[in-house]
């Protein structure tokens, strides 16, 4: 796909709800995304020798900076889920750099958009990663009581 200069972004979204109405912040989202990175090896791979006859996957050698792959939309952003998702599709995943082939966007109303290059996962992969982020959110908040757990609604 890349050699044809076609992009292959896949995107899913889910709304995360805490009983208290607590917003998602860097302090809660970064550990949850780090947990997803530890859980899913595909989130830390890239393609090397992409234009050769034998391209292959390799682990990203440098550290993954979450502040470069997780973005928080401002409270002034009034776009709805469909508009944000459309815009996510239009932002290509840059495969020329040693960086993840995915990104996370967090909206002010607690929607998390997970966008990734199709080469690291199919359409079923997105909900799995979003559920892992949910598990990470609950782990990072160290909440044991079920009534205090964050829930997810697939958008």
């Amino acid at each position: 796909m890349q050699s044809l200069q076609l992009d292959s972004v896949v995107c899913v979204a889910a709304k995360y709800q805490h009983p208290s109405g607590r917003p998602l912040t860097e302090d809660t989202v970064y550990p949850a995304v780090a947990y997803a990175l530890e859980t899913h090896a595909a989130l830390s791979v890239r393609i090397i020798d992409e234009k050769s006859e034998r391209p292959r996957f390799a682990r990203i050698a440098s550290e993954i900076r979450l502040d470069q792959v997780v973005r928080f939309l401002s409270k002034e952003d009034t776009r709805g889920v469909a508009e944000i998702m459309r815009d996510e599709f239009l932002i290509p995943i840059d495969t020329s750099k040693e960086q993840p082939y995915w990104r996370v966007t967090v909206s002010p109303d607690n929607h998390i958009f997970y966008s990734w290059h199709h080469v690291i996962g199919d359409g079923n992969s997105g909900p799995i990663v979003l559920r892992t982020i949910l598990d990470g959110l609950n782990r990072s908040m160290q909440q044991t009581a079920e009534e205090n757990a964050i829930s997810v609604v697939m958008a």
Side-chain angles (χ1 to χ4, degrees), residues 103-125:
R103 65 179 167 269
V104 167
T105 302
V106 182
S107 71
D109 65 349
N110 284 0
H111 276 89
I112 292 182
F113 298 81
Y114 168 61
S115 305
W116 70 100
H117 193 289
H118 198 271
V119 74
I120 65 165
D122 62 10
N124 293 321
S125 303

Side-chain angles (χ1 to χ4, degrees), residues 71-88 91 105-111 113:
R71 141 180 104 116
F72 290 82
L73 301 177
S74 73
K75 291 186 187 327
E76 291 77 33
D77 194 324
T78 60
R79 292 177 295 163
V81 172
E83 291 172 294
I84 295 170
M85 189 167 284
R86 179 204 62 215
D87 293 346
E88 287 295 316
I91 303 170
T105 302
V106 182
S107 71
D109 65 349
N110 284 0
H111 276 89
F113 298 81

Side-chain angles (χ1 to χ4, degrees), residues 11-16 36 40 85 104-105 111-116 124-137 152-155:
C11 183
V12 293
K15 183 173 176 91
Y16 292 76
H40 302 292
M85 189 167 284
V104 167
T105 302
H111 276 89
I112 292 182
F113 298 81
Y114 168 61
S115 305
W116 70 100
N124 293 321
S125 303
I128 293 168
V129 170
L130 287 178
R131 283 188 188 97
T132 304
I133 290 173
L134 172 63
D135 291 343
L137 285 166
V152 64
V153 179
M154 299 307 282

Side-chain angles (χ1 to χ4, degrees), residues 9 30 36-38 40 94 99 108 110 126 132 146 148 150:
V9 175
Y30 283 178
L37 269 165
E38 294 168 7
H40 302 292
D94 186 355
Q99 64 185 21
N110 284 0
T132 304
E146 189 172 308
N148 288 329
I150 294 175

